[in-house]
């Protein structure tokens, strides 16, 4: 009998190989994720749709600002161009805060994470796969938005490209850390939806979605700079149109990442 | 006997104040279908999940092929296939994608197409998980437990929620899997399923093993009495009882006579294995002709009753196993 023959004691191996099959996991998760049309719409198309809608829907968005003082950040820039940093910050937040926690709450609810932990694959792999999917989608959504904005409106060359890129990366780190914290603890997809909305919309407001750059009330700016999305938008504003280094906003985003990410890892629930 | 492929020794697991598993021990031989039978909440699932290294034990040892799965849960992932109770896949993944995905995790996976064929899933291979019927989901779940070519497969309540035909098909399937050399640990609350499939089994109640053996051995070991149910025409029932009670007083083969509570006209006679011999002449002498005579076959339900003093009902036992407990993850905080 073959089963008897194989029943010799084996030496204990170190805990599995861990990442075998990760490539296929990533491909399969991506294919399945793409079947959800809402995640594709919000992740890939929403920033572009919003830019085009605002650019053509609101009068004067494409006329250069001349009412501002000549030494202001905004002088000579079109309002639609000043909207870009906010839209980019929103693009990150949409995936990190609206999409990711619902994904993980669904996994937890359905026992996907638990099922995975019965196989040689580490269940952590599915987290890594979904971070990769969401980060990649952020880049695609942002690239599309920038490309379309350039074609339709002509975007401004950033004055300090490095500051913009740094702010974008830090914005991703801090917003995905916040998204992972929500993902770590929310159990039901319906709760995840509710909690994510409660976090997402105030953040959008503070990042200037309704009052971008030049027309943002000072109080919103003051509060917004201490939120991850608001700090990202403001730091990109500075890098794009202004001079100097947005130190406070950078520090705020770093602090969110440093606090929230370890917390998310610590609190992450598998069941 | 060969060295056991699975050994559980004095396993204990509590959730706060609640004792899920008090003291459970058993050993499974290679190639067996071994049953863990008991009412809901008896501690069956907790036992196998701890055995698989998915939960931390509070006491005792669990070994798979000699490997302590509490200390090295990752070391058995390649040889232990687990089918968990609930469905656990994306709604939008197809059957074939799921099998190919899981195949990629294992060192020596089975051929997904062969498994699809074996489980009659080939016609549904491109269907999404959410669109599968209950039976198809169960078959996929079994396929996923087998995709890694495991030596041992844990199948937890695999026919719950299936209609009788699907259940019988699944039973045949389990026997086919065993024929390929896989040792099967079958968790069930269906007495009939255990009786039909298991080579050996333990009956668990309230976290303890109350009986262990082969299904037939357990049944044969019951008290050597036997029960006959006689149904009489309503007019005869009273006289029949009087005659049979007199017989019980005079004949040592007949121990007890009761009227069946639920069906009028039925008399239940308990006695030795020869009780039927004693009944026939007595009834003939009184010219009482029963409409129906039935000898009651013993089953695992009687074994459960004999060992616990309670009639078997699947709803007994404690609440469902809690789900808020920490899962041990290989490479995690263990």
């Amino acid at each position: 009998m073959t089963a008897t023959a194989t029943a010799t004691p084996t030496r204990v191996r170190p805990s599995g190989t861990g990442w075998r099959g990760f490539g296929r996991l990533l491909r399969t998760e991506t294919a399945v994720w793409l079947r959800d049309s809402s995640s594709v719409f919000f992740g890939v198309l929403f920033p572009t749709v919003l830019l085009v809608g605002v650019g053509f829907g609101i009068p004067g968005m494409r006329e250069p600002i001349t009412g501002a003082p000549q030494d202001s950040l905004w002088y000579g820039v079109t309002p639609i161009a000043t909207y870009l940093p906010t839209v980019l910050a929103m693009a990150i937040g949409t995936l990190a805060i609206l999409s990711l926690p619902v994904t993980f709450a669904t996994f937890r609810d359905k026992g996907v994470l638990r099922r995975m932990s019965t196989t040689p694959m580490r269940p952590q792999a599915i987290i890594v796969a979904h971070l990769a999917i969401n980060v990649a989608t952020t880049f695609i959504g942002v690239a599309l938005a920038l490309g379309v904005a350039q074609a339709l409106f002509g975007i401004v060359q950033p004055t300090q490209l490095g500051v913009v890129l740094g702010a974008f990366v830090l914005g991703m780190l801090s917003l995905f850390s916040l998204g992972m914290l929500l993902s770590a603890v929310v159990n039901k997809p319906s709760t995840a939806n509710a909690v994510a909305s409660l976090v997402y919309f105030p953040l959008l407001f503070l990042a200037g979605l309704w009052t971008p750059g030049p027309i943002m009330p000072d109080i919103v700016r003051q509060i917004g700079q201490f939120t991850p999305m608001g700090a990202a938008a403001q730091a990109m504003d500075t890098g794009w149109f202004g001079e100097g280094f947005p130190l406070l906003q950078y520090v705020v985003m770093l602090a969110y990442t440093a606090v929230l990410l370890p917390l998310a890892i610590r609190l992450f629930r598998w069941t | 006997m060969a060295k056991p492929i699975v050994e559980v020794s004095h396993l204990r697991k509590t959730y706060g104040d609640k004792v899920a598993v008090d003291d459970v021990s058993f050993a499974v031989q290679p190639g067996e279908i071994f049953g863990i039978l008991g009412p809901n909440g008896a501690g069956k699932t907790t036992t196998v999940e701890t055995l698989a290294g998915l939960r931390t034990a509070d006491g005792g040892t669990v070994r798979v092929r000699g490997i302590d799965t509490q200390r090295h849960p990752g070391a058995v992932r390649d040889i232990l296939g687990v089918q968990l109770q609930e469905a656990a896949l994306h709604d939008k993944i197809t059957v074939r994608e799921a099998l190919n995905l899981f195949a990629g995790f294992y060192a020596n996976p089975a051929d997904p197409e062969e498994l699809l064929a074996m489980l009659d899933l080939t016609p549904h291979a491109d269907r999404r998980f959410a669109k599968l019927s209950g039976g198809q989901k169960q078959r996929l779940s079994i396929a996923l437990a087998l995709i890694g070519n495991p030596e041992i497969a844990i199948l937890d309540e695999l026919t719950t929620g299936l209609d009788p035909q699907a259940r019988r098909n699944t039973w045949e399937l389990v026997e086919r899997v065993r024929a390929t050399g896989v040792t099967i640990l079958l968790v069930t609350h269906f007495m009939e399923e255990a009786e039909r499939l298991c080579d050996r089994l333990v009956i668990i109640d309230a976290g303890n093993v109350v009986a262990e053996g082969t299904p037939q051995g357990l049944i044969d070991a019951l008290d050597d009495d036997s029960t006959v149910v006689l149904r009489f025409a309503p007019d005869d029932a009273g006289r029949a009882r009087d005659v049979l009670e007199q017989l019980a007083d005079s004949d040592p083969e007949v121990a007890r006579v009761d009227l069946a509570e639920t069906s009028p006209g039925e008399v239940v006679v308990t006695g030795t294995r020869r009780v039927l011999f004693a009944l026939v002449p007595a009834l003939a002498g009184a010219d009482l002709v029963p409409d129906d005579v039935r000898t009651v076959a013993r089953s695992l339900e009687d074994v459960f009753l004999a060992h616990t003093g309670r009639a078997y009902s699947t709803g007994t036992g404690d609440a469902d196993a809690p789900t808020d407990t920490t899962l041990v993850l290989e490479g995690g905080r263990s």
Side-chain angles (χ1 to χ4, degrees), chain A residues 27-47:
Chain A
R27 283 198 303 279
T28 309
E29 290 297 324
T30 307
V32 172
W33 189 81
L34 288 174
R35 281 171 205 161
D36 183 1
S37 45
S38 77
S39 49
V40 175
F41 174 77
F42 281 104
V44 179
L45 300 178
F46 187 47

Side-chain angles (χ1 to χ4, degrees), chain A residues 20 24 35 107 114 270, chain B residues 49 92 97 100 105 329:
Chain A
R20 190 196 300 130
R24 191 179 291 170
R35 281 171 205 161
F107 284 170
R114 197 170 149 63
W270 298 97
Chain B
E49 287 182 350
K92 293 185 179 173
E97 278 174 335
N100 282 327
F105 300 160
L329 293 157

Side-chain angles (χ1 to χ4, degrees), chain B residues 140-156:
Chain B
L140 174 57
S141 188
I142 299 170
L144 291 177
L146 300 175
I147 190 70
N149 250 333
E151 291 173 29
I152 307 132
I154 294 176
L155 305 177
D156 193 354

Side-chain angles (χ1 to χ4, degrees), chain B residues 63-101:
Chain B
R63 289 178 184 280
V64 172
R65 265 236 259 143
I67 299 164
D68 182 339
T69 55
Q70 285 291 303
R71 285 168 57 201
H72 306 287
V76 296
R77 293 281 167 261
D78 258 315
I79 56 166
L80 180 68
V82 183
Q83 181 246 340
L84 296 170
Q85 250 181 73
E86 331 84 62
L89 288 171
H90 299 288
D91 282 347
K92 293 185 179 173
I93 198 168
T94 69
V95 171
R96 182 175 277 121
E97 278 174 335
L99 271 175
N100 282 327
L101 171 64

Side-chain angles (χ1 to χ4, degrees), chain A residues 146-231:
Chain A
L146 289 175
V148 170
Q150 172 63 31
L152 296 179
F153 314 119
I155 52 180
V156 183
Q157 195 69 34
T159 53
Q160 312 173 71
L161 184 61
V163 172
V164 175
L165 290 178
F168 186 77
V169 169
L170 283 176
M172 279 187 109
L173 282 172
S174 55
L175 284 164
F176 273 98
S177 297
L178 178 58
M180 280 309 296
L181 180 64
L182 300 179
S183 306
V185 293
V186 180
N187 270 338
K188 295 265 168 209
S190 52
T191 323
N193 263 318
V195 173
S197 304
L198 276 178
V199 175
Y200 178 70
F201 289 104
L203 283 185
L204 283 188
F205 177 76
L206 292 168
L209 196 75
W210 289 273
T211 55
I215 55 168
M216 182 177 281
D218 201 46
I219 178 77
V220 176
R221 191 186 312 279
Q222 293 295 334
I223 300 172
Q225 66 191 353
F226 292 106
T227 67
M229 209 188 284

Side-chain angles (χ1 to χ4, degrees), chain B residues 167-183:
Chain B
R167 182 170 299 158
R168 270 188 287 277
N169 293 346
T170 309
W171 289 347
E172 278 171 27
L173 181 70
V174 171
E175 285 171 334
R176 289 220 295 275
V177 171
R178 189 262 292 275
T180 65
V182 179
T183 306

